[in-house]
Amino acid sequence: MAAASILAPALDSTIVIEKRSSTADRIAADPRSNSIRVVAPYEYKEAAKCLAEAFKDDHVVRYAIDTPDRAHWSEEEKYALHLQAMEYVTYAHCLKGLVTTVGPDYDCVALWMPPGKNIDDLLTILRSGMWRLNWQLSKEGRTRFFKEFLPLLASTKTEVLGERDNHAWYLNYIGTKAGSRGNGYARRLIEHVGDVADRAGQACYLESSHDINIKIYGKMGFTLRKQIWLGLDETIRMDVMVREPKGVLKEKI
């Protein structure tokens, strides 16, 4: 669904349980959450497995991996890097953002970046190991990821949100395991944070990579704001959508 930047955990031995932010605590304590919970850093690999499975054939997510100069790689090798990339971004969000899950076995996972937060600071890059991508990706992959993909996402978000860029929730990834689809898990995770955004009068932002998601997200209050393309022939499309806060006008009266 949503495309995201990719970060990497350094050494497993350095991973510790981080203290939750006040926002994460508030969401985790919400009595309406049922089985929705916040994923701790030590759980990042299990959460990442869910996302890796959900996005295993996604052209946007694998844009920097499925490159011509890696045509000789087997699908197993490419999937291994894809899984590592998901571990990277999941761990980074555990450190600086908000990772939520629902279901008995990490059946659906969402990676959120709260307002004013990002995973691009030097400390997070060092701790998460983003430097690994400089040698894990091929030459073409590095160009696609660092010079095309990330700059396009950043500039588009700023363009679409304007002065609200640092005051909106960013749904970086959300994915459901194939065998767990149809249970409404994704809707629950989105509406869970959506309620928090509504109470604060904040928007939610995402990029989607599948046509059907325009309709699906539309039922959750998102509207299409812009379409962007990747590749020299611009064949890979992303749909940029925004969910405006509900009940803001009523609360201001």
Side-chain angles (χ1 to χ4, degrees):
M1 291 186 180
S5 57
I6 300 175
L7 297 177
L11 300 176
D12 290 349
S13 61
T14 66
I15 297 174
V16 296
I17 300 176
E18 301 283 331
K19 182 179 180 180
R20 290 174 177 155
S21 66
S22 58
T23 300
D25 282 333
R26 186 167 68 253
I27 291 176
D30 189 337
R32 295 172 296 171
S33 67
N34 194 4
S35 60
I36 295 174
R37 65 185 184 83
V38 175
V39 174
Y42 73 89
E43 303 174 275
Y44 80 96
K45 285 194 174 184
E46 292 302 320
K49 286 180 183 178
C50 168
L51 294 175
E53 177 184 328
F55 289 95
K56 66 183 178 69
D57 298 317
D58 189 283
H59 295 307
V60 171
V61 176
R62 293 185 45 148
Y63 182 61
I65 296 174
D66 296 329
T67 57
D69 54 356
R70 283 283 169 82
H72 60 287
W73 272 30
S74 66
E75 176 55 30
E76 289 74 18
E77 289 174 307
K78 292 179 180 179
Y79 188 81
L81 180 54
H82 168 65
L83 175 57
Q84 282 185 304
M86 284 300 177
E87 291 178 353
Y88 302 167
V89 71
T90 301
Y91 185 61
H93 278 72
C94 285
L95 293 176
K96 294 298 293 292
L98 175 68
V99 181
T100 55
T101 187
V102 64
D105 186 28
Y106 305 91
D107 293 86
C108 184
V109 173
L111 307 187
W112 293 91
M113 194 51 57
K117 299 288 186 178
N118 65 73
I119 52 177
D120 300 326
D121 62 283
L122 181 59
L123 181 59
T124 301
I125 290 174
L126 292 175
R127 293 182 65 191
S128 62
M130 188 173 183
W131 49 270
R132 293 182 178 182
L133 291 177
N134 286 317
W135 54 268
Q136 286 181 311
L137 293 175
S138 68
K139 180 179 179 180
E140 174 65 19
R142 290 191 295 271
T143 298
R144 290 185 178 193
F145 184 68
F146 291 109
K147 296 184 179 181
E148 183 182 357
F149 183 67
L150 292 184
L152 178 61
L153 295 190
S155 62
T156 301
K157 184 168 179 284
T158 299
E159 176 188 343
V160 171
L161 291 177
E163 62 182 14
R164 298 189 298 169
D165 191 13
N166 290 322
H167 303 283
W169 285 82
Y170 183 18
L171 179 54
N172 222 337
Y173 274 109
I174 185 166
T176 306
K177 292 179 178 178
S180 301
R181 291 169 188 165
N183 294 312
Y185 286 154
R187 172 182 285 275
R188 290 175 62 192
L189 291 184
I190 290 175
E191 291 183 345
H192 195 208
V193 170
D195 286 346
V196 175
D198 288 342
R199 292 195 291 271
Q202 297 165 330
C204 295
Y205 177 99
L206 61 80
E207 304 106 0
S208 173
S209 54
H210 290 284
D211 292 340
I212 193 173
N213 288 339
I214 296 178
K215 182 177 181 180
I216 293 175
Y217 285 130
K219 293 180 179 179
M220 301 183 208
F222 286 86
T223 58
L224 180 64
R225 294 297 180 84
K226 187 178 177 65
Q227 292 181 319
I228 54 179
W229 286 264
L230 292 168
L232 295 177
D233 52 357
E234 296 189 338
T235 56
I236 302 177
R237 194 189 80 213
M238 285 183 285
D239 302 310
V240 176
M241 305 186 74
V242 177
R243 176 189 180 278
E244 297 295 345
K246 299 178 182 179
V248 175
L249 293 179
K250 182 178 179 181
E251 292 176 3
K252 290 183 177 179
I253 296 177

